[in-house]
Amino acid sequence: MAQQTKYLLDESQMPTHWYNLVPDLPEPPPPPLHPGTGQPVGPDDLAPLFPMGLILQEVSTEQYIEIPEAVREIYALWRPSPLYRARRLEKALDTPAHIYYKYEGVSPAGSHKPNTAVPQAYYNAVEGIRRLTTETGAGQWGTALAFACSLFDMTCEIWQVRASYDQKPYRRSMMEVFGGVVHPSPSELTEAGRKILADDPDSPGSLGIAISEAVEVAASSDDVRYALGSVLNHVLLHQTVIGEEAIRQLEMAGEMPDVVVGCVGGGSNFGGLAFPFIRENLAGNLNCEIRAVEPDACPTLTRGRYTYDFGDTAGMTPLLKMHTLGHDFVPDPIHSGGLRYHGMSPLISHVYELGLMTAEARPQTECFDAGVRFARTEGIVPAPEPTHALASAIAEAERCRETGEEKVILTALCGHGHLDLAAYDKYLAGEVVDFEYPQERIDDALTRLPDPQV
Amino acid sequence: MAQQTKYLLDESQMPTHWYNLVPDLPEPPPPPLHPGTGQPVGPDDLAPLFPMGLILQEVSTEQYIEIPEAVREIYALWRPSPLYRARRLEKALDTPAHIYYKYEGVSPAGSHKPNTAVPQAYYNAVEGIRRLTTETGAGQWGTALAFACSLFDMTCEIWQVRASYDQKPYRRSMMEVFGGVVHPSPSELTEAGRKILADDPDSPGSLGIAISEAVEVAASSDDVRYALGSVLNHVLLHQTVIGEEAIRQLEMAGEMPDVVVGCVGGGSNFGGLAFPFIRENLAGNLNCEIRAVEPDACPTLTRGRYTYDFGDTAGMTPLLKMHTLGHDFVPDPIHSGGLRYHGMSPLISHVYELGLMTAEARPQTECFDAGVRFARTEGIVPAPEPTHALASAIAEAERCRETGEEKVILTALCGHGHLDLAAYDKYLAGEVVDFEYPQERIDDALTRLPDPQV
């Protein structure tokens, strides 16, 4: 065959280090602040929730951090992940553009989330922690952490948003197959949960409530810690294996991208793909556009404010300087549960402010259309989240058809949609609608930003 | 890292030919017979249902048949599939055995079925056929054929057993994402379906009925053909890419198997894995045990009779000499829908009679237990079907722990269980039971074998 489809690395070519973008930036990101004092948060403030190994990564200014061998041995169950040239999609689009996608759906949990779940479980395990708590909405993160904990013989306790717990029983089953203990949230197991249930016994829950429950349990016990699946520096750090591998695989293909495009919710998949390419841009080795795509219904980067806000709805976290729609903002019920976050990774927000990347928002029906076109040409049914990046990649390829440009487009297919088929079902039945996000709701939520505003 | 986990081939190492076991056997398999005349069925008898390209493969005595380039280009979307060493499972079992698994769940449909769906669509397409019909029970085959048809711009019409259509909506959604047209069976669209519905408007359907509907539509129109996902020679032929790749990958690992073990329903996954190893055994290059594992509830090879019987329940197919439990046998409702077939591939039955392989049956609770142990060590949630082979591999590895033997065990993980999580849910809740298969039911069904008995 003349035309190559997949670019594979073998295990010996797996990255040995995670890449930390922070020291390469022209100025450092603003620090998180303690909401009471307005002072920067130090490692000790975070110790009740995270192991010191992860806290040191959170504040690290080292450019590269070695991946422990125990983590790399587990990564080898699915990494290096494949890079594909989407030749059949290109042909269907009749475009001169070259479209590549880095596929993270080959992981046991079906998404990029195990890239950070495994090291998070590992660093807790080496500090003697036997139990982790977390929250999950759509279920990808909970599945990944349950999988990771099973490998270190740790207990993983997951508060799953009640509505999702009831609507997506397969997700719960998958967490339980990996040995996870799943509670619908709000639950009777925490003060936060009991308080909500006292007010509303039928509460469908929210990510904010689930975070409160998981954090409460972790904070109240010395031998329990909490794990977060996105937003924070150490999480994005772990995900940089995606971009590092992609660079090596594109070298195999003899190409370098003109556009790197990823979907963005909390930012972990996008950062993992993009940061190594931003490094190459900053070093003058590349000059590619780095593009984040968010849902129209949750336009954090494109229409939010860059300011200090809470990371959770209940206001329990440190203040993070980021693009936010307001911490009590409730996005419309789009199917991309992983992109329904009011804020943004502070590091990505900072990179955006520095002008090192672009952002755009797209409506979900266009994204589902892209997902179906992708499935019918490339064979993989994508999760709804990465269809946002696919829609942008397809639009770029269609522009190239008009201009004749042979642009090289790289996108991250961060997960498969096997457990999201009910959403595709609704889309094919014409029941998926777009949400016009009203400016008044943004303006209103932003009136309730926390003090101090620094 | 000292220890390798995955053995990957690149696209240039993909097999260029399918392997046909027939000419290497000490005697040829008995031919299919026309039920009216008792005479061997010829190519012309099959022409209303299959394209000539596939019929010629069905009766071929060539040892190798070249894989068309158009098929190989599509195979490259997921092939060569990975071979894994199950090091974490070995460690958990504390066994000196080496366990390898060939993973076919990386295909777009999530199983080995696209290995034959793609060439079946291709050979129909080159003969100008624009529409294929088929049946599906659990849904793996229907998904694979819908995917394959989408790549050749063909219409794929699938009769899905009513009970499965209602209970597994995600499977139907996945077929529709690939552009498939799915009918619950029995349907009002065929005479066979209308007849059943007239008797029982609430009929849950069966694979036998669904086959009758799909065959009726294909046979009644010159430009429609029928496609079958297992049992026939050409289907098993296409699956031999599994075993051919596995041999090359084990060579990379510097090992050759002592035991090759696969699950067996109609036989396509088992034959695809095993036939190249049987060739090596026959040539004196290897001396490995070739072991088929079937469910206790559908013990075709271990307790069936080797005789001529119909391939379908309604008695519309040619007579096939095979191990059968009787064509009107209805297996208990185990979760491995892909293994609930009354008969067996005639070629595998013949190989079994020649003494070139062994067979055993296992209860489904033991298999689910193996599936959960596998998920918690290797990360992949297996489909219920291949957990039968995993249970056998684990039992073998546990024997090795007692004897100290360093046996090399190869098994085929023919699909993931992402759309079977409801079954795991029931298992974890203690609601999965085993079925003691009564001898009287076998004896009774075997009283209704067709004439002529040759």
Side-chain angles (χ1 to χ4, degrees), chain A residues 1 5-6, chain B residues 11 14 72-79:
Chain A
M1 289 185 296
T5 301
K6 289 188 302 296
Chain B
E11 285 168 36
M14 196 193 297
R72 296 180 67 222
E73 278 177 6
I74 297 170
Y75 275 179
L77 290 173
W78 73 95
R79 303 212 72 83

Side-chain angles (χ1 to χ4, degrees), chain B residues 48 129 131 215-225:
Chain B
I129 301 299
R131 188 168 152 221
V215 166
E216 179 186 322
V217 170
S220 66
S221 172
D222 267 357
D223 54 1
V224 182
R225 293 288 181 279

Side-chain angles (χ1 to χ4, degrees), chain A residues 5-6 11 74 76-77 79 84 88 108 151 170 172-173 176-178 375-376 379 416 418-419 421 425, chain B residues 1 5-6 11 74 76-77 79 84 88 108 170 172-173 176-178 375-377 379 416 418-419 421 425:
Chain A
T5 301
K6 289 188 302 296
E11 285 168 36
I74 296 171
L77 290 173
R79 303 211 72 82
Y84 286 85
R88 304 187 75 86
L151 302 180
Y170 277 23
R172 176 180 52 72
S173 305
E176 290 174 350
V177 167
F178 286 131
R376 290 181 185 178
H416 62 64
H418 299 164
L419 300 188
L421 283 161
D425 210 32
Chain B
M1 290 184 298
T5 301
K6 288 190 302 297
E11 285 168 36
I74 297 170
L77 290 173
R79 303 212 72 83
Y84 286 85
R88 304 188 74 87
Y170 277 23
R172 177 181 52 72
S173 306
E176 289 174 352
V177 167
F178 286 130
R376 291 182 184 177
T377 49
H416 62 64
H418 299 164
L419 301 187
L421 282 161
D425 211 31

Side-chain angles (χ1 to χ4, degrees), chain A residues 121-165:
Chain A
Y122 167 80
Y123 285 109
N124 276 285
V126 295
E127 295 184 25
I129 301 299
R130 310 303 311 149
R131 189 168 152 220
L132 288 181
T133 66
T134 199
E135 73 289 331
T136 201
Q140 283 282 16
W141 169 241
T143 306
L145 195 66
F147 155 69
C149 285
S150 79
L151 302 180
F152 291 101
D153 288 325
M154 296 168 75
T155 303
C156 183
E157 213 166 339
I158 303 143
W159 275 263
Q160 184 177 13
V161 174
R162 174 98 232 178
S164 164
Y165 181 93

Side-chain angles (χ1 to χ4, degrees), chain B residues 22 109 120 256 277 281 308 358 402:
Chain B
V22 172
Q120 289 196 47
M256 273 298 139
F277 288 94
N281 275 349
Y308 273 99
T358 64
E402 306 308 318

Side-chain angles (χ1 to χ4, degrees), chain B residues 66-296:
Chain B
E66 189 169 8
I67 307 174
E69 180 155 328
V71 172
R72 296 180 67 222
E73 278 177 6
I74 297 170
Y75 275 179
L77 290 173
W78 73 95
R79 303 212 72 83
S81 70
L83 178 80
Y84 286 85
R85 170 101 182 258
R87 293 187 185 273
R88 304 188 74 87
L89 177 62
E90 291 170 18
K91 199 173 163 193
L93 296 171
D94 189 25
T95 178
H98 297 188
I99 305 172
Y100 290 87
Y101 59 97
K102 178 75 170 159
Y103 184 41
E104 293 293 311
V106 294
S107 84
S111 77
H112 65 295
K113 294 291 187 190
N115 295 334
T116 185
V118 171
Q120 289 196 47
Y122 166 80
Y123 285 109
N124 276 285
V126 295
E127 294 184 26
I129 301 299
R130 310 303 311 147
R131 188 168 152 221
L132 288 182
T133 65
T134 199
E135 73 290 331
T136 201
Q140 284 282 16
W141 168 242
T143 306
L145 195 66
F147 155 68
C149 285
S150 79
L151 302 180
F152 291 101
D153 289 324
M154 297 169 75
T155 302
C156 183
E157 212 166 340
I158 303 143
W159 275 263
Q160 184 177 14
V161 174
R162 174 97 232 177
S164 164
Y165 182 93
D166 291 337
Q167 286 162 15
K168 291 191 161 195
Y170 277 23
R171 267 288 165 210
R172 177 181 52 72
S173 306
M174 196 157 176
M175 291 185 261
E176 289 174 352
V177 167
F178 286 130
V181 178
V182 188
H183 310 297
S185 168
S187 75
E188 293 285 356
L189 300 167
T190 67
E191 201 172 318
R194 288 189 293 272
K195 197 173 156 195
I196 300 283
L197 288 172
D199 289 346
D200 177 9
D202 297 323
S203 165
S206 74
L207 210 48
I209 297 167
I211 293 176
S212 303
E213 295 201 272
V215 166
E216 179 186 322
V217 170
S220 66
S221 172
D222 267 357
D223 54 1
V224 182
R225 293 288 181 279
Y226 168 73
L228 191 66
S230 191
V231 178
L232 298 180
N233 293 354
H234 69 272
V235 181
L236 275 63
L237 174 82
H238 300 153
Q239 295 292 356
T240 57
V241 290
I242 302 173
E244 294 287 31
E245 288 178 5
I247 288 175
R248 295 180 201 194
Q249 289 165 309
L250 283 170
E251 282 169 356
M252 289 168 71
E255 305 219 75
M256 273 298 139
D258 299 297
V259 182
V260 174
V261 54
C263 65
V264 67
S268 77
N269 163 64
F270 178 78
L273 173 74
F275 286 179
F277 288 94
I278 293 176
R279 174 191 63 209
E280 299 303 314
N281 275 349
L282 287 168
N285 301 324
L286 282 179
N287 183 24
C288 59
E289 183 192 342
I290 308 286
R291 184 190 301 167
V293 189
E294 55 189 16
D296 252 5

